[in-house]
Amino acid sequence: MGQEMRKKSFSPSFLFLIILFALGILFASQYSPGTERIATFSVARCDGDQLVKCVTELERNFDGVEKIFVDTKTNIFSIRYESSSVSIDSVKEFFSDAGVTIESSNSISLMGEKDNGPDKKLFKISFSSLE
């Protein structure tokens, strides 16, 4: 009447899932997203069809760019973009290469950046020596 001790064995699929989970955590810790922003641009004298075409091409050529609106009467357009992958300068250069001059631009952050200031800290740690 001896009881046999059973060895626990893991199935290969279970081990595969554990490895995938560990790799996912590793790669997720490496990811550092930029800030999502909205930019509005004013374009110098430009044909409405050319402006629509340029904004559509911008959206196609740059990852992380999404067209919000294009106003052909006032030559103003807005885009939503990821600041880690697209800069205002690259947008201006793209339009310059297409023969369109951007007169002005305004960019705002969609995520309200909070300034904690120098005195506000999550943890305050101080050490003192006993003499």
Side-chain angles (χ1 to χ4, degrees):
M1 285 216 217
Q3 289 184 351
E4 294 182 27
M5 294 188 72
R6 289 186 165 180
K7 285 187 176 180
K8 288 187 177 180
S9 64
F10 296 107
S11 69
S13 61
F14 181 70
L15 290 174
F16 181 71
L17 287 175
I18 289 175
I19 291 170
L20 279 178
F21 182 71
L23 287 174
I25 290 173
L26 178 68
F27 286 118
S29 66
Q30 301 286 327
Y31 177 70
S32 59
T35 304
E36 192 173 49
R37 303 179 73 85
I38 291 180
T40 302
F41 298 90
S42 175
V43 178
R45 294 171 300 279
C46 177
D47 181 54
D49 293 334
Q50 182 185 9
L51 179 61
V52 170
K53 180 182 173 189
C54 285
V55 173
T56 304
E57 287 298 316
L58 176 75
E59 188 176 23
R60 285 185 192 147
N61 290 329
F62 287 92
D63 288 336
V65 172
E66 179 186 348
K67 173 177 61 175
I68 296 176
F69 74 88
V70 178
D71 186 353
T72 56
K73 290 180 182 178
T74 59
N75 287 337
I76 294 176
F77 69 94
S78 283
I79 59 169
R80 178 181 294 130
Y81 69 98
E82 183 70 34
S83 65
S84 64
S85 60
V86 179
S87 70
I88 295 292
D89 292 334
S90 61
V91 172
K92 289 180 180 179
E93 184 177 331
F94 179 83
F95 276 86
S96 176
D97 291 345
V100 178
T101 304
I102 292 181
E103 292 180 330
S104 66
S105 63
N106 185 13
S107 178
I108 60 168
S109 174
L110 293 179
M111 302 295 289
E113 296 174 6
K114 295 181 181 177
D115 183 21
N116 289 338
D119 297 333
K120 296 180 180 179
K121 297 179 182 175
L122 185 59
F123 296 105
K124 188 173 182 179
I125 301 172
S126 62
F127 296 96
S128 61
S129 60
L130 299 173
E131 295 182 32

